[in-house]
Every structure is written in C-alpha cells, then in structure tokens.
Amino acid sequence: MAIQRMDNVLIVVDDLDAVIAFFVELGMELEGKGPLEGRWAERVIGLDDVRQDIAMLRIPDGHGRVELAKFHRPKAITAEPEDAPVNTLGMRRIMFAVDDIEDVIARLRTHGAELVGELEQYEDTYRLCYVRGPEGIIVGLAEQLG
C-alpha cells in the first residue's frame, strides 16, 4: 500500500481572515470556509468540546491544499516562540513555485509579509527566498530560471 497523494497541510491560526487574504494574494483559491464542530471531529483530533472555523485553500493546479483552523474552543496554545527561526524543530515552512518572485514578494508585503533572509539565486536554476507572513507563517518562494 502506498500513499496516493498529499491532501493538505493544517495551519492553526488566530486571525483566520488575515491568513486567508495572505494565501489568496499568493495565488491560492479559497475553496470554502465555515464552522467545524461535533463529536466526530472531537474523536478524530482527540479534543473535547471543540468549536472551530476552518478554511480550505487550493493551489491553482489543484494538486495541494492548505487548511486553516481557528479554534474558539478549546483556545489554541502557543508551542514555540512567536516568529520562531527556521531552525526551530517542527514544520517550518511551505514552499511554492512562482512565476515572478519579485511581484509575489511585493504583493505579500501589502499583507505585512517580510523577507526572512534575502532573495538569492541558486546557480542558474532558481531564485529563492523565505517570507514571514501573518502569525509568523513562513512561506518559501522559488522561481525557476530559464
């Protein structure tokens, strides 16, 4: 038995609308947004008395998704320092291929994003950078050259 595909990555956030706007500006498409609660959800995630809002965003080619969740009950907790550096244990970033990296950086800056380091070129193949967006989310951007 093998993996069929990667379906989605979950990011727990506090300001759901700001993070949705950030990912939409990046080029993702909002599939849907709404409440999620009930005993079945509590059993799946191992928490009691759950009430959350979720949003599902799709990559334009349809092959990947980012799920965002804002927990109302129980309240979300912080497991690491705010704006944790890239070498902090755990999931650190999501990488996206883009067609115009400078344009994407400029558009994301309107949502408060900042470069983590610098925009760099790797040999003659890619221009790469990390951008920190709302809630400290780090997004990697890669523009293929040639």
Side-chain angles (χ1 to χ4, degrees), residues 83-87 92-93 105 109 113-119 128-133 136-140:
D83 294 339
V86 176
N87 65 336
R92 292 284 46 101
R93 63 125 174 100
I105 293 168
R109 280 189 168 140
E114 298 177 352
L115 285 172
V116 171
E118 298 179 27
L119 174 59
L128 304 155
C129 69
Y130 282 6
V131 175
R132 187 181 306 274
I137 296 168
I138 297 175
V139 172

Side-chain angles (χ1 to χ4, degrees), residues 41-61:
E42 295 169 358
R43 287 193 303 265
V44 169
I45 65 175
L47 294 172
D48 292 324
D49 196 28
V50 171
R51 189 171 76 77
Q52 61 182 315
D53 289 319
I54 64 164
M56 189 68 74
L57 295 118
R58 179 181 59 245
I59 295 171
D61 72 3

Side-chain angles (χ1 to χ4, degrees), residues 10 34 86 97 100 108-109 117 119 130 142-143 145:
L10 171 67
V86 176
D100 184 343
L108 293 179
R109 280 189 168 140
L119 174 59
Y130 282 6
E143 177 184 354
L145 302 173

Side-chain angles (χ1 to χ4, degrees), residues 2 11 25 33-34 39 76 88 109 113 119 132 145:
I11 303 173
E25 188 67 52
K33 175 183 170 185
R39 192 66 195 128
T88 304
R109 280 189 168 140
L119 174 59
R132 187 181 306 274
L145 302 173

Side-chain angles (χ1 to χ4, degrees), residues 5-135:
R5 70 179 183 277
M6 187 190 86
D7 192 62
N8 70 66
V9 173
L10 171 67
I11 303 173
V12 177
V13 302
D14 189 45
D15 189 340
L16 187 60
D17 291 331
V19 179
I20 289 170
F22 175 80
F23 280 110
V24 167
E25 188 67 52
L26 180 60
M28 297 189 79
E29 300 166 6
L30 180 62
E31 278 188 343
K33 175 183 170 185
L36 179 67
E37 57 188 321
R39 192 66 195 128
W40 72 271
E42 295 169 358
R43 287 193 303 265
V44 169
I45 65 175
L47 294 172
D48 292 324
D49 196 28
V50 171
R51 189 171 76 77
Q52 61 182 315
D53 289 319
I54 64 164
M56 189 68 74
L57 295 118
R58 179 181 59 245
I59 295 171
D61 72 3
H63 290 105
R65 290 175 176 75
V66 171
E67 180 179 350
L68 304 174
K70 176 182 175 48
F71 280 82
H72 300 284
R73 275 192 329 255
K75 287 286 187 191
I77 59 172
T78 302
E80 55 195 36
E82 189 174 332
D83 294 339
V86 176
N87 65 336
T88 304
L89 293 173
M91 292 182 61
R92 292 284 46 101
R93 63 125 174 100
I94 302 171
M95 179 72 84
F96 294 99
V98 299
D99 57 6
D100 184 343
I101 198 165
E102 290 181 26
D103 176 63
V104 172
I105 293 168
R107 288 187 292 109
L108 293 179
R109 280 189 168 140
T110 67
H111 294 270
E114 298 177 352
L115 285 172
V116 171
E118 298 179 27
L119 174 59
E120 288 291 327
Q121 184 165 322
Y122 174 71
E123 297 178 350
D124 292 331
T125 55
Y126 285 98
R127 294 179 74 206
L128 304 155
C129 69
Y130 282 6
V131 175
R132 187 181 306 274
E135 312 226 2

